[in-house]
Amino acid sequence: MAIKSVVLLGAAALSISVGAIAGEMHATVVSVHYSVQENDPETLEKNVLNPMMSSMQKLDRVMKVASTITHGVVDLEVGFQGNATAQDLAAVTAQIEMLKFDEHVAVLSRIIELRPARFLLEP
């Protein structure tokens, strides 16, 4: 019985250590995800991504903004000095709320959240 307890404690410690290391590898960013009816990447870049990128550059503490566009999806990661905070999330949300997209852009869904970076690379 004692051996099982030690093994379980060792496994728990290992998973905590791995989680801590993984957390250090990825900065927390504000992620903005749009799904739209438009499928043409050039149109998405002009009518959705470019206004979003310009808007994010106006925010304090922004270090880097990265994006990807696929058919009908625009993803944006906003990296801040240190890690993104709840205040940064609120600032990004406020900027996004002010955006007016081209009348031909039909937004299907939008998600704005704090999460570990997926494609924003450290400087």
Side-chain angles (χ1 to χ4, degrees):
M1 204 59 134
I3 294 174
K4 288 182 183 178
S5 297
V6 172
V7 171
L8 291 175
L9 287 174
L14 179 61
S15 67
I16 290 170
S17 297
V18 170
I21 291 169
E24 291 175 3
M25 292 172 58
H26 296 288
T28 302
V29 298
V30 177
S31 170
V32 182
H33 173 88
Y34 269 94
S35 291
V36 296
Q37 283 187 332
E38 177 61 53
N39 282 322
D40 178 47
E42 289 180 14
T43 302
L44 286 174
E45 182 175 2
K46 177 184 172 195
N47 295 323
V48 179
L49 181 61
N50 288 346
M52 288 172 58
M53 295 285 280
S54 295
S55 183
M56 295 304 109
Q57 295 299 331
K58 297 175 185 175
L59 297 174
D60 291 337
R61 297 187 340 96
V62 169
M63 294 295 295
K64 193 169 189 178
V65 181
S67 63
T68 61
I69 298 175
T70 58
H71 298 286
V73 175
V74 177
D75 280 312
L76 191 74
E77 286 188 353
V78 184
F80 291 85
Q81 293 171 344
N83 280 324
T85 65
Q87 291 82 12
D88 298 324
L89 175 63
V92 168
T93 302
Q95 285 294 113
I96 294 293
E97 292 291 332
M98 290 190 290
L99 291 177
K100 302 291 184 219
F101 296 127
D102 184 270
E103 64 187 39
H104 297 96
V105 175
V107 176
L108 302 174
S109 68
R110 178 184 79 185
I111 300 169
I112 305 171
E113 63 185 348
L114 284 174
R115 66 171 171 74
R118 288 187 310 164
F119 50 86
L120 184 69
L121 301 176
E122 293 294 322

